[in-house]
Amino acid sequence: MNIYDLIIVGGGPAGVTAGIYAQRARLKTILLEKLGVGGQIILSDLVENYPGFQEISGFDLMQKFEAQAKTLGLTIDDCEVTRVTDKGEHKIVKTPDHDYMAKSVIIASGSKSRRLGVKGEEALIGKGVSFCATCDGFFFRGKDIVLVGGGNSAITEALYLAKIVNKVYVVHRRSELRAEKILQERALENPVIEFVWDSVVEEIIGNNVVTGVVLRNVKTKERSELAVGGVFVYVGITPNTEFIDLEKDENGFIHTDRSLATSIPGIFAVGDCRQTELRQVATAVGDGALAVTSVERYLG
Ligand code: NAP
């Protein structure tokens, strides 16, 4: 069996950066990615906080990452990693088609959107319930919609949708947003965006298509109905870490030390899938670079 120095699991900003650094370190490396290089950031219409690019779409940014990695000769295989197991000196990375073996692994598997978990959500996905404004926003042209959440994703996507739809009701469970101040300022002064504070969506209504939501004010406990044609959910992320047994926090984010080492020697974790204070392209890139330095030290 082909033994790699390094297998990178995941092709978002952290994983591709690790690939670039590994190629430059002349490590025998392969990157495994199930959905094509890019990660969650390709769902972002606009990235304004990655230095060097005043304004760029997440998709265009990741095309540049990929081109740079491929110019350096990084091998990228399209396949889903189903299991990573530790055999001491070697690690086995399983995919549906075959097993890969490496001396070290960097987990860069990122995250997926968290669900609200309310009545109507699951049944109406694709029928008015969406987790991706850039993918689906077009279908809601001229309609009134609800967007749930108060973080960076919620407010970035509310601003994007405000250019397409008639009205964006941002339903947030508190009266203070979590998003960056500059995003808050823009959203608060946008006439298309209306905030529904201290409120949660209790139910999404619709037979075959979304027709409204049931809201509950968490302070007054009052319930009300709002007629809308769509619901966009941005209530945080869940890490893609089910395929590996490592020390994780209660939400599944992988514990790492300062060198990005995990609880298993030779396995490192980077980007959104690890327990960290900040999840941005800029921090993911830093993780990717640091992890390869740690891999080099580990391989000796
Ligand atoms: P997030 O920062 O965790 O925010 C999740 C939001 O959803 C919070 O406002 C939270 O409310 C709310 N929420 C959570 N569970 C809820 C529930 N059950 N019902 C109603 N509301 C709920 O998640 P995110 O916005 O998806 O961002 C994920 C990470 O990516 C973050 O680290 C973020 O900074 C980063 N990101 C960065 C950028 C950028 O820099 N341009 C863009 C997008 C995302 P509370 O505030 O009350 O907790």
Side-chain angles (χ1 to χ4, degrees), residues 34 126 141:
K34 69 172 170 182
R141 188 170 290 278

Side-chain angles (χ1 to χ4, degrees), residues 4-210:
Y4 291 94
D5 293 323
L6 169 65
I7 293 176
I8 301 165
V9 180
V16 179
T17 302
I20 289 169
Y21 274 72
Q23 287 304 112
R24 292 171 60 85
R26 300 289 187 242
L27 297 177
K28 187 177 171 190
T29 303
I30 188 165
L31 186 151
L32 307 176
E33 164 59 53
K34 69 172 170 182
L35 289 173
V37 165
Q40 288 281 97
I41 191 66
I42 64 169
L43 305 180
S44 278
D45 168 57
L46 187 61
V47 177
E48 294 175 292
N49 56 1
Y50 187 64
F53 297 91
Q54 208 161 329
E55 284 190 358
I56 190 165
S57 74
F59 181 81
D60 288 347
L61 182 61
M62 290 318 295
Q63 293 256 295
K64 290 181 188 294
F65 273 53
E66 184 174 6
Q68 187 172 353
K70 284 192 166 159
T71 302
L72 285 162
L74 179 66
T75 305
I76 300 173
D77 266 10
D78 293 334
C79 56
E80 179 171 7
V81 171
T82 52
R83 194 86 199 137
V84 175
T85 43
D86 179 36
K87 300 278 177 202
E89 212 174 300
H90 294 119
K91 323 292 170 199
I92 309 295
V93 178
K94 277 191 178 299
T95 74
D97 288 335
H98 72 277
D99 294 355
Y100 296 81
M101 191 186 278
K103 297 175 196 163
S104 68
V105 174
I106 292 178
I107 308 292
S109 48
S111 61
K112 52 185 168 290
S113 307
R114 195 190 288 154
R115 302 274 163 102
L116 273 176
V118 299
K119 193 172 165 202
E121 181 185 38
E122 204 66 33
L124 291 165
I125 290 173
K127 297 168 182 167
V129 172
S130 170
F131 300 86
C132 178
T134 33
C135 320
D136 302 331
F138 179 80
F139 301 114
F140 297 85
R141 188 170 290 278
K143 292 187 178 174
D144 291 353
I145 57 124
V146 151
L147 184 146
V148 194
N152 276 328
S153 300
I155 304 308
T156 303
E157 302 313 318
L159 288 163
Y160 171 74
L161 286 165
K163 293 184 244 167
I164 302 171
V165 304
N166 181 57
K167 188 92 192 161
V168 183
Y169 294 99
V170 175
V171 176
H172 183 40
R173 63 184 179 183
R174 294 185 292 140
S175 54
E176 200 184 316
L177 297 170
R178 185 184 288 277
E180 284 178 320
K181 291 285 184 295
I182 189 168
L183 295 173
Q184 296 192 23
E185 286 163 15
R186 287 179 196 162
L188 289 165
E189 67 192 25
N190 190 312
V192 177
I193 299 175
E194 188 173 323
F195 284 89
V196 184
W197 301 111
D198 298 314
S199 298
V200 291
V201 168
E202 224 172 42
E203 183 183 339
I204 301 174
I205 313 166
N207 239 337
N208 208 19
V209 62
V210 169

